[in-house]
Amino acid sequence: MKNNAQGLPSPFVPVANSKVAQIAPDIPDYLQKVYWWAYLHPNAVRFFEREWLVNLILWGNFSRLRDAALGELGDTIEHRLLQVACVYGDFSQRIAARLGTAGRLDVVDVAPIQLANLRRKLADDTRIHLHRQDASALHFADASFDASLLFFLLHEQPEAVRRATLAEALRVTRPGGKVVIVDYHKPKRSNPLRYVMKAVLSMLEPFADDLWRQEITSYLPTTFSSAGVSKSTCFGDLYQKVVITV
């Protein structure tokens, strides 16, 4: 496990104008206390970095949900894209495969072990940059990106952190750009997994219930004026995709 993101070899280093080069954020207390077993321990990375297991956790829907998110970006990405937090599975590799000559992918994560794991999964590519940053306090300038992706991140954050993360994603996405969110959603009563998931999330994901009780848009800044919000659900409403046009 590396001590900081600066230890990642080129091109997996912060860009020159990123303050992360001078300030390495602490790993948040909630992440250390609640999710150490999933994201911070070396054995966790070795255990969860299996495509079949990621798919099993999402009841066979990983590819479907991944492709739903990436479908918002087009077949070829010729713009600057921000991925907020690393993802187990081939999520980032699929993005990399869509990058055009003018495309660029920036990935932020607060955990050095997650950045190191992602580096191992990606080929050296000058269009891809990894940064050690806290999602709730990004060090990018306003309107730096054409689109931002949050894939199964918000349900793992306490409300205050979730609000800050959304505010930051909106801030760094240019007017006319997209913030694409895929996460859990309150399932239909007829969904046979409704009560199973309620128990699982209550035990392992203490902040996930928020997304069952409230719309993701309720966590947006009150001062934010959106050009449009679209929402779709799948798998008996267990999962949702929200696309915010800034």
Side-chain angles (χ1 to χ4, degrees), residues 64-73 91 148-152 154 178-185 211 215-217 229-235 237-244:
R64 179 182 184 180
L65 295 165
R66 176 201 65 205
D67 293 346
L70 301 190
E72 296 292 332
L73 309 175
F91 188 78
S148 298
L149 280 174
L150 292 83
F151 190 81
F152 283 92
L154 297 180
K178 294 179 178 179
V179 176
V180 180
I181 304 162
V182 174
D183 219 307
Y184 287 109
H185 183 272
L211 300 190
E215 295 288 343
I216 284 176
T217 51
V229 177
S230 67
K231 171 186 169 183
S232 59
T233 62
C234 67
F235 203 61
D237 285 357
L238 180 57
Y239 307 113
Q240 63 180 315
K241 178 180 72 173
V242 175
V243 180
I244 303 168

Coordinates of all heavy atoms in Angstrom, one line a residue, residues 64-73 91 148-152 154 178-185 211 215-217 229-235 237-244:
R64 N -25.1 -4.0 -16.6 CA -26.2 -3.2 -17.0 C -26.1 -1.8 -16.4 O -26.4 -0.8 -17.1 CB -27.5 -3.9 -16.5 CG -28.8 -3.1 -16.8 CD -30.0 -3.9 -16.2 NE -31.3 -3.2 -16.6 CZ -32.5 -3.7 -16.2 NH1 -32.5 -4.8 -15.5 NH2 -33.6 -3.1 -16.6
L65 N -25.8 -1.7 -15.2 CA -25.7 -0.4 -14.5 C -24.4 0.4 -15.0 O -24.5 1.6 -15.2 CB -25.6 -0.6 -13.0 CG -26.9 -1.2 -12.4 CD1 -26.6 -1.7 -11.0 CD2 -28.0 -0.2 -12.4
R66 N -23.4 -0.3 -15.2 CA -22.1 0.3 -15.8 C -22.4 0.9 -17.1 O -22.1 2.1 -17.4 CB -21.0 -0.7 -15.9 CG -19.7 -0.3 -16.5 CD -18.9 -1.5 -17.0 NE -19.6 -2.1 -18.1 CZ -19.5 -3.4 -18.4 NH1 -18.6 -4.2 -17.7 NH2 -20.1 -4.0 -19.4
D67 N -23.1 0.1 -18.0 CA -23.3 0.5 -19.3 C -24.4 1.7 -19.4 O -24.3 2.5 -20.3 CB -23.8 -0.6 -20.2 CG -22.7 -1.7 -20.4 OD1 -21.5 -1.3 -20.1 OD2 -23.0 -2.8 -20.9
A68 N -25.3 1.7 -18.4 CA -26.2 2.8 -18.4 C -25.6 4.1 -18.0 O -25.9 5.1 -18.6 CB -27.3 2.5 -17.3
A69 N -24.6 4.0 -17.2 CA -23.8 5.2 -16.8 C -23.0 5.7 -18.0 O -23.0 6.9 -18.4 CB -22.9 5.0 -15.6
L70 N -22.2 4.8 -18.6 CA -21.3 5.1 -19.7 C -22.1 5.5 -20.9 O -21.6 6.3 -21.8 CB -20.4 4.0 -20.0 CG -19.5 3.5 -18.8 CD1 -18.4 2.5 -19.3 CD2 -18.8 4.7 -18.1
G71 N -23.3 5.0 -21.1 CA -24.1 5.4 -22.2 C -24.4 6.9 -22.3 O -24.7 7.4 -23.4
E72 N -24.3 7.5 -21.2 CA -24.6 9.0 -21.1 C -23.4 9.8 -21.7 O -23.5 11.0 -22.0 CB -24.8 9.5 -19.7 CG -26.1 8.9 -19.1 CD -27.4 9.4 -19.8 OE1 -27.3 10.6 -20.3 OE2 -28.4 8.7 -19.7
L73 N -22.3 9.1 -21.9 CA -21.1 9.8 -22.4 C -20.8 9.7 -23.8 O -19.9 10.3 -24.4 CB -19.9 9.2 -21.6 CG -20.0 9.2 -20.1 CD1 -18.8 8.5 -19.4 CD2 -20.2 10.6 -19.5
F91 N -15.1 -0.9 -14.5 CA -15.7 0.3 -14.8 C -14.8 1.3 -15.5 O -15.1 1.9 -16.5 CB -16.3 0.9 -13.5 CG -17.2 2.1 -13.7 CD1 -18.5 2.0 -14.1 CD2 -16.7 3.4 -13.4 CE1 -19.3 3.1 -14.3 CE2 -17.5 4.5 -13.6 CZ -18.8 4.4 -14.0
S148 N -19.2 14.5 -15.1 CA -18.7 13.9 -13.9 C -19.6 12.6 -13.6 O -20.8 12.7 -13.8 CB -18.8 14.8 -12.7 OG -18.0 16.0 -12.9
L149 N -18.9 11.6 -13.1 CA -19.6 10.3 -12.8 C -19.5 10.0 -11.3 O -18.4 10.0 -10.7 CB -18.9 9.2 -13.6 CG -19.3 9.0 -15.1 CD1 -18.4 7.9 -15.7 CD2 -20.7 8.6 -15.2
L150 N -20.6 9.6 -10.7 CA -20.7 9.1 -9.4 C -21.4 7.8 -9.4 O -22.6 7.7 -9.5 CB -21.4 10.1 -8.4 CG -20.7 11.4 -8.2 CD1 -21.0 12.4 -9.3 CD2 -21.2 12.0 -6.9
F151 N -20.6 6.7 -9.3 CA -21.1 5.3 -9.5 C -21.1 4.6 -8.1 O -20.1 4.3 -7.6 CB -20.3 4.6 -10.5 CG -20.9 3.3 -10.9 CD1 -21.9 3.2 -11.9 CD2 -20.4 2.1 -10.4 CE1 -22.4 2.0 -12.3 CE2 -21.0 0.8 -10.8 CZ -22.0 0.8 -11.7
F152 N -22.3 4.5 -7.5 CA -22.5 3.8 -6.2 C -21.6 4.4 -5.2 O -20.9 3.7 -4.4 CB -22.3 2.3 -6.3 CG -23.5 1.6 -7.0 CD1 -23.6 1.4 -8.3 CD2 -24.5 1.2 -6.2 CE1 -24.7 0.8 -8.9 CE2 -25.7 0.6 -6.7 CZ -25.7 0.4 -8.1
L154 N -22.8 7.7 -3.4 CA -23.6 8.5 -2.5 C -24.1 7.8 -1.3 O -24.2 8.3 -0.2 CB -24.7 9.3 -3.3 CG -24.2 10.3 -4.3 CD1 -25.4 10.9 -5.0 CD2 -23.3 11.3 -3.7
K178 N -22.8 17.3 -17.9 CA -23.6 16.3 -17.1 C -23.0 15.8 -15.9 O -21.7 15.6 -15.8 CB -23.9 15.1 -18.0 CG -24.8 15.3 -19.2 CD -25.0 14.0 -19.9 CE -25.9 14.2 -21.2 NZ -26.0 12.8 -21.9
V179 N -23.8 15.6 -14.8 CA -23.4 14.9 -13.7 C -24.2 13.6 -13.7 O -25.5 13.7 -13.6 CB -23.6 15.6 -12.4 CG1 -23.3 14.8 -11.2 CG2 -22.8 16.9 -12.3
V180 N -23.6 12.5 -13.8 CA -24.3 11.2 -14.0 C -24.1 10.4 -12.7 O -23.0 10.1 -12.2 CB -23.7 10.4 -15.2 CG1 -24.5 9.0 -15.3 CG2 -23.8 11.2 -16.5
I181 N -25.2 10.0 -12.1 CA -25.2 9.3 -10.8 C -26.0 8.0 -11.0 O -27.1 7.9 -11.5 CB -25.9 10.1 -9.8 CG1 -25.3 11.5 -9.6 CG2 -26.0 9.4 -8.4 CD1 -26.2 12.5 -8.9
V182 N -25.3 6.9 -10.5 CA -26.0 5.6 -10.5 C -25.9 5.1 -9.0 O -24.8 5.1 -8.5 CB -25.4 4.6 -11.5 CG1 -26.0 3.2 -11.3 CG2 -25.6 5.0 -12.9
D183 N -27.0 4.7 -8.4 CA -26.9 4.3 -7.0 C -28.2 3.5 -6.7 O -29.0 3.2 -7.6 CB -26.8 5.5 -6.1 CG -25.9 5.2 -5.0 OD1 -26.1 4.2 -4.2 OD2 -25.0 6.1 -4.8
Y184 N -28.3 3.2 -5.4 CA -29.5 2.4 -4.9 C -30.7 3.3 -4.9 O -30.6 4.6 -5.0 CB -29.3 1.9 -3.5 CG -28.3 0.7 -3.4 CD1 -27.0 0.9 -2.9 CD2 -28.7 -0.5 -3.9 CE1 -26.2 -0.2 -2.8 CE2 -27.8 -1.6 -3.9 CZ -26.6 -1.4 -3.3 OH -25.7 -2.5 -3.3
H185 N -31.9 2.7 -4.9 CA -33.2 3.4 -4.9 C -34.2 2.5 -4.1 O -34.0 1.3 -4.0 CB -33.7 3.6 -6.4 CG -34.9 4.3 -6.5 ND1 -36.2 3.7 -6.5 CD2 -35.2 5.7 -6.7 CE1 -37.1 4.6 -6.6 NE2 -36.5 5.8 -6.8
L211 N -31.2 7.1 0.7 CA -31.6 7.1 -0.7 C -32.9 6.3 -0.9 O -33.5 6.4 -2.0 CB -30.5 6.5 -1.6 CG -29.1 7.2 -1.6 CD1 -28.2 6.7 -2.7 CD2 -29.3 8.7 -1.7
E215 N -35.2 11.6 -2.5 CA -34.7 11.7 -3.9 C -33.2 12.3 -3.8 O -32.9 13.1 -2.9 CB -35.5 12.6 -4.7 CG -36.9 12.1 -5.0 CD -37.0 11.0 -5.9 OE1 -35.9 10.7 -6.7 OE2 -38.0 10.3 -6.0
I216 N -32.4 11.9 -4.7 CA -31.0 12.4 -4.8 C -31.0 13.9 -4.9 O -30.2 14.6 -4.4 CB -30.2 11.7 -5.9 CG1 -29.8 10.3 -5.4 CG2 -29.0 12.5 -6.3 CD1 -29.1 9.4 -6.5
T217 N -32.0 14.4 -5.7 CA -32.0 15.8 -5.9 C -32.3 16.6 -4.7 O -32.0 17.8 -4.6 CB -33.1 16.2 -7.0 OG1 -34.4 15.5 -6.6 CG2 -32.8 15.7 -8.3
V229 N -33.1 17.6 -15.0 CA -32.8 16.4 -14.3 C -33.6 15.3 -14.9 O -34.9 15.4 -15.0 CB -33.1 16.6 -12.8 CG1 -32.8 15.3 -12.1 CG2 -32.3 17.7 -12.2
S230 N -33.0 14.2 -15.2 CA -33.8 13.0 -15.6 C -33.4 11.8 -14.7 O -32.3 11.7 -14.2 CB -33.4 12.6 -17.1 OG -32.1 12.2 -17.2
K231 N -34.4 11.0 -14.5 CA -34.2 9.9 -13.6 C -34.9 8.6 -14.2 O -36.0 8.7 -14.7 CB -34.9 10.2 -12.2 CG -34.9 9.0 -11.2 CD -35.7 9.3 -10.0 CE -36.0 8.1 -9.1 NZ -36.8 8.5 -7.9
S232 N -34.2 7.5 -14.1 CA -34.8 6.2 -14.5 C -34.4 5.2 -13.5 O -33.4 5.3 -12.7 CB -34.3 5.8 -15.9 OG -32.9 5.7 -15.9
T233 N -35.2 4.1 -13.3 CA -34.9 3.1 -12.4 C -34.9 1.7 -13.1 O -35.5 1.6 -14.2 CB -35.9 3.0 -11.2 OG1 -37.3 2.8 -11.8 CG2 -36.0 4.4 -10.5
C234 N -34.4 0.7 -12.5 CA -34.4 -0.6 -13.1 C -34.4 -1.7 -11.9 O -34.2 -1.4 -10.8 CB -33.2 -0.8 -14.0 SG -31.6 -0.9 -13.2
F235 N -34.6 -2.9 -12.3 CA -34.6 -4.1 -11.4 C -35.5 -3.9 -10.3 O -35.2 -3.9 -9.1 CB -33.1 -4.3 -10.9 CG -32.9 -5.7 -10.4 CD1 -33.0 -6.8 -11.3 CD2 -32.6 -6.0 -9.1 CE1 -32.8 -8.1 -10.9 CE2 -32.4 -7.3 -8.7 CZ -32.5 -8.4 -9.6
D237 N -37.0 -1.2 -9.4 CA -36.7 0.1 -8.7 C -35.6 0.0 -7.7 O -35.4 1.0 -6.9 CB -37.9 0.7 -8.1 CG -38.9 1.3 -9.1 OD1 -38.6 1.3 -10.3 OD2 -40.0 1.7 -8.7
L238 N -34.8 -1.1 -7.7 CA -33.8 -1.2 -6.7 C -32.6 -0.2 -7.0 O -31.9 0.2 -6.1 CB -33.3 -2.6 -6.6 CG -32.1 -2.9 -5.6 CD1 -32.5 -2.5 -4.2 CD2 -31.8 -4.4 -5.6
Y239 N -32.4 0.1 -8.3 CA -31.3 0.9 -8.7 C -31.9 2.1 -9.5 O -32.9 2.0 -10.1 CB -30.4 0.2 -9.6 CG -29.9 -1.1 -9.0 CD1 -30.2 -2.4 -9.5 CD2 -29.1 -1.1 -7.8 CE1 -29.8 -3.5 -8.9 CE2 -28.6 -2.3 -7.3 CZ -29.0 -3.5 -7.8 OH -28.5 -4.6 -7.2
Q240 N -31.2 3.2 -9.5 CA -31.6 4.4 -10.2 C -30.4 5.1 -10.9 O -29.2 4.9 -10.5 CB -32.2 5.5 -9.2 CG -31.2 6.0 -8.2 CD -31.9 7.0 -7.2 OE1 -32.6 7.9 -7.7 NE2 -31.7 6.9 -5.9
K241 N -30.7 5.7 -12.0 CA -29.8 6.6 -12.7 C -30.4 8.0 -12.7 O -31.5 8.2 -13.2 CB -29.5 6.1 -14.1 CG -28.5 7.0 -14.9 CD -28.3 6.5 -16.3 CE -29.5 6.7 -17.2 NZ -29.2 6.3 -18.6
V242 N -29.6 8.9 -12.3 CA -30.0 10.3 -12.3 C -29.0 11.1 -13.1 O -27.8 11.0 -12.8 CB -30.1 10.9 -10.8 CG1 -30.4 12.4 -10.9 CG2 -31.2 10.2 -10.0
V243 N -29.5 11.9 -14.0 CA -28.6 12.7 -14.9 C -29.0 14.1 -14.7 O -30.1 14.5 -15.0 CB -28.7 12.3 -16.4 CG1 -27.8 13.1 -17.2 CG2 -28.4 10.8 -16.6
I244 N -28.0 14.9 -14.2 CA -28.2 16.3 -14.0 C -27.5 17.1 -15.1 O -26.3 17.0 -15.2 CB -27.7 16.8 -12.6 CG1 -28.4 15.9 -11.5 CG2 -28.0 18.2 -12.4 CD1 -27.8 16.1 -10.1

